[in-house]
Amino acid sequence: MQLLAGTADLLQGRAAQRAADAEMRAPDFCLLDYLDSRENGISRILANLLDPMGSHGQGARFLEAFIKWAGLDGSWVTGAH
């Protein structure tokens, strides 16, 4: 039983560390997933980058930069601060 508890603790610690590292390393993001120059491929790239939950692990950073670049105030985005 101690082995299971120790393993569970280890897995929880690893998950917490991975989440903390995701912002810096983006381990689930792979640029090769998007090598497609057709319109649908480019749209997939933009959709992922502008999605705060995208695999890039950067949260809303790209979306916020896009809103600023486009000169929008962001009030139309659900949950915008």
Side-chain angles (χ1 to χ4, degrees):
M1 196 62 165
Q2 285 181 334
L3 178 61
L4 289 177
T7 302
D9 289 343
L10 182 65
L11 290 174
Q12 285 179 334
R14 177 66 184 119
Q17 182 64 43
R18 182 178 167 102
D21 289 344
E23 187 173 317
M24 193 62 138
R25 297 185 197 189
D28 297 322
F29 182 74
C30 179
L31 186 59
L32 298 177
D33 290 341
Y34 301 103
L35 290 180
D36 184 353
S37 62
R38 294 172 294 173
E39 184 176 354
N40 286 341
I42 293 168
S43 294
R44 273 191 14 230
I45 293 168
L46 292 174
N48 184 277
L49 290 175
L50 297 178
D51 179 359
M53 300 301 291
S55 63
H56 49 75
Q58 301 301 303
R61 284 191 172 124
F62 295 126
L63 178 59
E64 290 166 357
F66 177 77
I67 290 170
K68 183 178 179 181
W69 173 83
L72 303 171
D73 64 7
S75 62
W76 55 274
V77 178
T78 303
H81 301 277

